[in-house]
Amino acid sequence: METNQLYLYNSITGKKELFEPINNPYVGMYVCGPTVYGDAHLGHARPAITFDVLFRYLKHVGYKVRYVRNITDVGHLENDADSGEDKIAKKARLEQLEPMEIVQYYTDRYHANMQDLNVLSPSIEPKASGHIIEQIEFIERIIKNGYGYVENGSVYFDVLKYNEKHNYGILSGRNIDELINNTRTLEGQEEKKNSFDFALWKKAQPQHIMRWNSPWSVGFPGWHLECSAMGEKYLGEVFDIHGGGMDLKFPHHECEIAQSVAANNKHAVKHWVHNNLITINGQKMSKSLNNFITLDEVFSGKNALLNQAYSPMTVRFFILQAHYGGTLDFSNEALLAAEKAMARMCKAFDVIDKLVISNTSSIDFNSYKKRCYDALNDDLNTPILLAVLFDVVKSINLIKEGKETIDAVNLSVLKEIVSGFFNEILGLINQSSVSTKSNSIDTLMEVILELRKNAKTNKDYATADYIRNKLSEVNIKINDTKDGANWFIE
RNA sequence: GGACUCGUGGCCGAGUGGCUAGGCAGAGGUCUGCAAAACCUUGUACGGCGGUUCGAAUCCGUUCGAGUCCUCCA
């Protein structure tokens, strides 16, 4: 699709911009992945799905995409920690486990959640702990260029110095003067020249279990460094897209920009894309606020905030029903609405193979297809795309009822729309058609429905209702239609 | 306090200077032994107050409210 023009909102310019790869047809995309010290929650599903769709769409239109999503397994500090203690190390002590054991455990669980959500694996999933050498080398370059200083075994980034020639705050719209006035006084800041300087390398305290040798001290890399180092390693000094949650804009991504400019004298990222947050009761869902629902809990329904379990596909649909740039508020009502909406869509798609093919078509499915592309090309507008697909659903139903017609050519376009946009790009899976594929149960139900049909013919409604009610108790639902009865598992 | 974002019908959520978003719920209907489901039809919303305009929910100002960030947490 050479004519396809994707416009993406660029956080750094604040405008929708035509996406043009630096090195067509190759596209490099880096997205901040999870910190693996706990189970993923609903909030983590949002960036994963957002950038999964972007990844899928870029591939769909013909680009060769290398998608790098990191695993953060070192270097992060507790929000409320007494004294800057590595998050993972702390949990390790509490649970009497090796840090890497925890990393492995939660990484596996994260992967399982992602698979449930039908999120494709990234091309490369690098771990911070596996790139200590690259990070040290990156720091050396920053120091050599005069933007880092060593103090007591730790290395800090000199923001003020950087800001003389460059613009610190370019992404988040902050300026240094405000940072000076507004930064709170915190403990453990004495080593830094300025409160807003950030660490590139941190000397390990005795309680830190995760530690590596470096030219400056035995310690661990700073919190923003891994993305700069790994992005450069796998995507080059300059690459196309960097994604992540809104909450990462400052300081994380701001610091990344500063690091890359300090090391290479150029901006590493052409296009910044930020997804918004999932809120609950209007507030950000996060670990620190302790108002989160893990994905496992959503899928099982085991959380006091949940009225029921919601399938991974319901969650995916729910997230896609909102534009990635806006907040999305969690509620049982909204999840339930998504579940029903998705079911209705799937049921319509199920009847496509049973549609009667006419000589002419009263509906032009190519125009739907165009609207699908238009929706995605306008800053990945998945809610609009879903609205178009609901128009398609309506058309399918009208054809089914004989009120509209479809010919063979349009039928193939219709199938293309479903497999292309619904399955391939949005990554949704029609589970109603998948779950009923069991030969023995099919045969069994055929027999039962036959017996019930006979009962109905004989006006033995007591027996007919008995069959229906009893099976309903085990979630096998029977519906009578004018073409006979059908059944499904609820 | 500062930076930024947002405020749309019962709920979720698009959009935008004049033309139906969509979904869920509700209402009416079709179908039907009954039920359920399915399908069809249906709503006239854009925080308050000013202003610009032939015309604003959409632009500007102001006000109220909410949120995110402002930390050595991604």
Side-chain angles (χ1 to χ4, degrees):
Chain A
M1 288 280 308
E2 304 77 24
T3 55
N4 214 61
Q5 304 234 299
L6 168 63
Y7 282 82
L8 265 184
Y9 184 84
N10 190 347
S11 306
I12 206 162
T13 58
K15 284 184 286 211
K16 284 182 198 171
E17 292 175 0
L18 178 62
F19 175 73
E20 291 175 298
I22 296 162
N23 187 20
N24 204 358
Y26 299 97
V27 174
M29 175 162 87
Y30 189 98
V31 173
C32 292
T35 302
V36 281
Y37 69 102
D39 275 333
H41 58 72
L42 258 180
H44 293 112
R46 176 98 113 137
I49 289 170
T50 297
F51 294 104
D52 185 51
V53 170
L54 182 54
F55 181 39
R56 287 166 177 268
Y57 187 55
L58 289 169
K59 286 199 296 185
H60 174 86
V61 297
Y63 295 122
K64 308 238 181 276
V65 188
R66 179 178 293 163
Y67 173 22
V68 179
R69 188 186 66 205
N70 65 299
I71 295 275
T72 295
D73 59 351
V74 288
H76 297 288
L77 303 184
E78 280 287 359
N79 205 358
D80 49 0
D82 6 19
S83 65
E85 185 180 4
D86 191 308
K87 262 187 185 172
I88 289 164
K90 177 164 188 187
K91 190 124 193 182
R93 287 218 323 284
L94 294 176
E95 296 184 4
Q96 302 291 313
L97 288 168
E98 273 298 319
M100 279 302 167
E101 200 174 348
I102 292 182
V103 164
Q104 187 68 53
Y105 176 77
Y106 285 114
T107 301
D108 288 348
R109 289 172 68 83
Y110 180 75
H111 286 157
N113 286 155
M114 290 304 112
Q115 195 161 7
D116 284 343
L117 289 168
N118 199 27
V119 168
L120 299 175
S121 295
S123 321
I124 301 174
E125 192 172 49
K127 288 185 178 181
S129 63
H131 297 76
I132 301 296
I133 291 169
E134 287 82 353
Q135 294 181 73
I136 289 173
E137 190 271 336
F138 208 100
I139 295 169
E140 284 173 333
R141 267 187 284 154
I142 291 174
I143 294 175
K144 189 174 143 224
N145 290 342
Y147 293 109
Y149 58 92
V150 183
E151 196 64 51
N152 199 18
S154 293
V155 186
Y156 296 98
F157 190 95
D158 193 336
V159 172
L160 216 50
K161 172 103 185 278
Y162 173 84
N163 200 55
E164 287 170 11
K165 281 189 185 169
H166 309 284
N167 182 2
Y168 184 80
I170 185 172
L171 177 66
S172 54
R174 270 156 239 261
N175 66 59
I176 290 281
D177 297 335
E178 284 164 358
L179 288 173
I180 291 170
N181 293 332
N182 294 318
T183 304
R184 285 181 268 164
T185 312
L186 292 168
E187 289 176 31
Q189 302 241 6
E190 313 79 42
E191 293 176 356
K192 299 198 288 189
K193 288 190 197 169
N194 286 295
S195 57
F196 43 74
D197 286 351
F198 55 92
L200 297 169
W201 186 266
K202 194 78 179 158
K203 183 180 175 180
Q205 299 302 306
Q207 67 267 29
H208 286 132
I209 297 173
M210 298 186 108
R211 48 174 67 205
W212 291 266
N213 214 341
S214 81
W216 313 284
S217 66
V218 174
F220 50 92
W223 307 270
H224 313 298
L225 200 61
E226 56 177 281
C227 295
S228 295
M230 298 191 295
E232 179 185 304
K233 170 156 183 168
Y234 297 113
L235 300 175
E237 286 187 4
V238 181
F239 56 90
D240 297 291
I241 298 172
H242 189 130
M246 284 278 263
D247 46 345
L248 301 181
K249 253 182 166 178
F250 190 91
H252 183 55
H253 290 157
E254 199 69 69
C255 294
E256 273 188 51
I257 291 172
Q259 287 169 163
S260 295
V261 172
N264 299 326
N265 200 30
K266 58 181 95 157
H267 283 264
V269 178
K270 196 176 154 201
H271 217 113
W272 285 91
V273 181
H274 289 97
N275 65 275
N276 217 316
L277 310 171
I278 289 191
T279 57
I280 180 164
N281 297 321
Q283 233 187 359
K284 172 188 174 182
M285 183 180 285
S286 77
K287 201 124 195 149
S288 52
L289 293 169
N290 205 34
N291 61 353
F292 62 94
I293 307 171
T294 71
L295 289 169
D296 284 335
E297 287 167 351
V298 175
F299 302 157
S300 68
K302 288 181 183 136
N303 183 302
L305 294 166
L306 298 169
N307 295 344
Q308 61 167 85
Y310 301 96
S311 76
M313 279 306 114
T314 297
V315 172
R316 191 166 176 118
F317 192 93
F318 168 67
I319 287 175
L320 293 173
Q321 261 192 315
H323 182 73
Y324 74 86
T327 54
L328 172 60
D329 200 53
F330 162 87
S331 70
N332 279 284
E333 292 72 21
L335 259 305
L336 190 63
E339 182 181 277
K340 290 188 176 182
M342 165 118 180
R344 192 163 81 82
M345 186 173 275
C346 288
K347 277 181 185 167
F349 291 163
D350 276 343
V351 308
I352 288 175
D353 284 327
K354 297 173 194 155
L355 292 180
V356 178
I357 301 171
S358 309
N359 288 328
T360 58
S361 192
S362 61
I363 298 168
D364 176 18
F365 279 89
N366 271 309
S367 69
Y368 282 133
K369 191 171 153 189
K370 180 177 183 307
R371 285 171 61 201
C372 288
Y373 278 111
D374 288 347
L376 289 175
N377 286 336
D378 185 11
D379 198 23
L380 220 61
N381 200 323
T382 55
I384 294 284
L385 173 54
L386 285 172
V388 176
L389 289 180
F390 273 109
D391 286 346
V392 171
V393 164
K394 193 172 193 173
S395 293
I396 292 169
N397 289 326
L398 288 171
I399 293 165
K400 186 182 72 182
E401 302 210 342
K403 291 173 182 164
E404 300 279 2
T405 58
I406 188 168
D407 60 18
V409 174
N410 274 282
L411 184 65
S412 76
V413 175
L414 168 58
K415 288 180 178 173
E416 229 178 88
I417 289 171
V418 174
S419 68
F421 289 95
F422 183 78
N423 297 124
E424 184 195 325
I425 297 169
L426 293 181
L428 293 165
I429 298 168
N430 184 344
Q431 289 175 320
S432 70
S433 57
V434 178
S435 61
T436 53
K437 287 271 193 285
S438 163
N439 282 335
S440 51
I441 290 182
D442 275 350
T443 309
L444 181 67
M445 285 305 298
E446 265 175 46
V447 172
I448 290 172
L449 288 182
E450 186 65 25
L451 290 173
R452 181 165 174 276
K453 190 176 147 196
N454 291 339
K456 282 177 65 178
T457 309
N458 298 330
K459 300 219 188 286
D460 179 6
Y461 295 122
T463 301
D465 289 349
Y466 173 77
I467 291 171
R468 189 171 64 196
N469 293 338
K470 270 299 183 192
L471 289 178
S472 177
E473 286 172 19
V474 293
N475 286 334
I476 296 174
K477 306 291 181 186
I478 294 173
N479 289 329
D480 292 317
T481 72
K482 39 183 178 289
D483 310 321
N486 60 43
W487 66 278
F488 61 95
I489 299 170
E490 201 171 63

